[in-house]
Short mmCIF file of all heavy atoms in Angstrom, two decimals:
data_model
loop_
_atom_site.label_atom_id
_atom_site.label_comp_id
_atom_site.label_asym_id
_atom_site.label_seq_id
_atom_site.Cartn_x
_atom_site.Cartn_y
_atom_site.Cartn_z
N LEU A 933 111.39 19.10 180.66
CA LEU A 933 111.21 18.31 179.44
C LEU A 933 111.64 16.87 179.69
O LEU A 933 112.57 16.60 180.47
CB LEU A 933 112.01 18.91 178.29
CG LEU A 933 111.63 20.37 177.92
CD1 LEU A 933 112.54 20.85 176.80
CD2 LEU A 933 110.17 20.43 177.52
N GLN A 952 120.07 20.60 178.19
CA GLN A 952 120.11 20.87 176.74
C GLN A 952 119.31 22.12 176.35
O GLN A 952 119.29 22.49 175.19
CB GLN A 952 119.52 19.67 175.99
CG GLN A 952 120.36 18.42 176.12
CD GLN A 952 121.71 18.55 175.46
OE1 GLN A 952 121.83 19.26 174.47
NE2 GLN A 952 122.74 17.91 176.00
N ILE A 953 118.69 22.72 177.31
CA ILE A 953 117.93 23.94 176.98
C ILE A 953 118.87 25.01 176.48
O ILE A 953 118.53 25.83 175.62
CB ILE A 953 117.14 24.42 178.21
CG1 ILE A 953 116.09 23.39 178.57
CG2 ILE A 953 116.49 25.77 177.96
CD1 ILE A 953 115.28 23.74 179.79
N LEU A 954 120.08 24.99 177.02
CA LEU A 954 121.05 25.97 176.56
C LEU A 954 121.35 25.79 175.09
O LEU A 954 121.42 26.75 174.33
CB LEU A 954 122.32 25.86 177.39
CG LEU A 954 123.41 26.90 177.09
CD1 LEU A 954 122.89 28.29 177.39
CD2 LEU A 954 124.65 26.60 177.93
N LEU A 955 121.49 24.52 174.64
CA LEU A 955 121.73 24.25 173.23
C LEU A 955 120.53 24.60 172.38
O LEU A 955 120.66 25.14 171.29
CB LEU A 955 122.10 22.78 173.05
CG LEU A 955 123.38 22.34 173.77
CD1 LEU A 955 123.63 20.86 173.53
CD2 LEU A 955 124.57 23.15 173.32
N GLU A 956 119.33 24.26 172.86
CA GLU A 956 118.13 24.62 172.09
C GLU A 956 118.01 26.13 171.95
O GLU A 956 117.62 26.66 170.92
CB GLU A 956 116.87 24.07 172.79
CG GLU A 956 116.80 22.57 172.83
CD GLU A 956 116.71 21.97 171.44
OE1 GLU A 956 116.18 22.67 170.55
OE2 GLU A 956 117.16 20.83 171.24
N ARG A 957 118.37 26.82 172.99
CA ARG A 957 118.34 28.28 172.91
C ARG A 957 119.32 28.77 171.88
O ARG A 957 119.04 29.69 171.11
CB ARG A 957 118.64 28.86 174.29
CG ARG A 957 118.67 30.39 174.31
CD ARG A 957 119.07 30.88 175.69
NE ARG A 957 119.17 32.32 175.70
CZ ARG A 957 119.63 33.05 176.72
NH1 ARG A 957 120.04 32.41 177.83
NH2 ARG A 957 119.70 34.35 176.66
N HIS A 958 120.49 28.11 171.83
CA HIS A 958 121.47 28.51 170.83
C HIS A 958 120.93 28.25 169.42
O HIS A 958 121.10 29.07 168.52
CB HIS A 958 122.76 27.75 171.06
CG HIS A 958 123.66 27.77 169.86
ND1 HIS A 958 124.28 28.91 169.41
CD2 HIS A 958 124.00 26.78 169.00
CE1 HIS A 958 124.99 28.63 168.33
NE2 HIS A 958 124.84 27.33 168.05
N ARG A 959 120.29 27.09 169.25
CA ARG A 959 119.76 26.78 167.91
C ARG A 959 118.70 27.78 167.48
O ARG A 959 118.66 28.22 166.33
CB ARG A 959 119.17 25.37 167.90
CG ARG A 959 120.25 24.30 167.99
CD ARG A 959 119.65 22.94 168.23
NE ARG A 959 120.70 21.97 168.46
CZ ARG A 959 120.46 20.74 168.94
NH1 ARG A 959 119.23 20.40 169.25
NH2 ARG A 959 121.46 19.90 169.11
N LEU A 960 117.84 28.13 168.39
CA LEU A 960 116.81 29.11 168.04
C LEU A 960 117.43 30.44 167.68
O LEU A 960 117.02 31.12 166.74
CB LEU A 960 115.81 29.28 169.19
CG LEU A 960 114.93 28.06 169.46
CD1 LEU A 960 114.08 28.31 170.71
CD2 LEU A 960 114.03 27.78 168.26
N GLY A 961 118.43 30.83 168.46
CA GLY A 961 119.10 32.09 168.13
C GLY A 961 119.84 32.02 166.82
O GLY A 961 119.92 32.98 166.08
#
Side-chain angles (χ1 to χ4, degrees):
L933 300 178
Q952 294 294 328
I953 295 178
L954 184 62
L955 298 179
E956 295 296 332
R957 178 184 177 187
H958 162 69
R959 289 170 187 167
L960 292 175

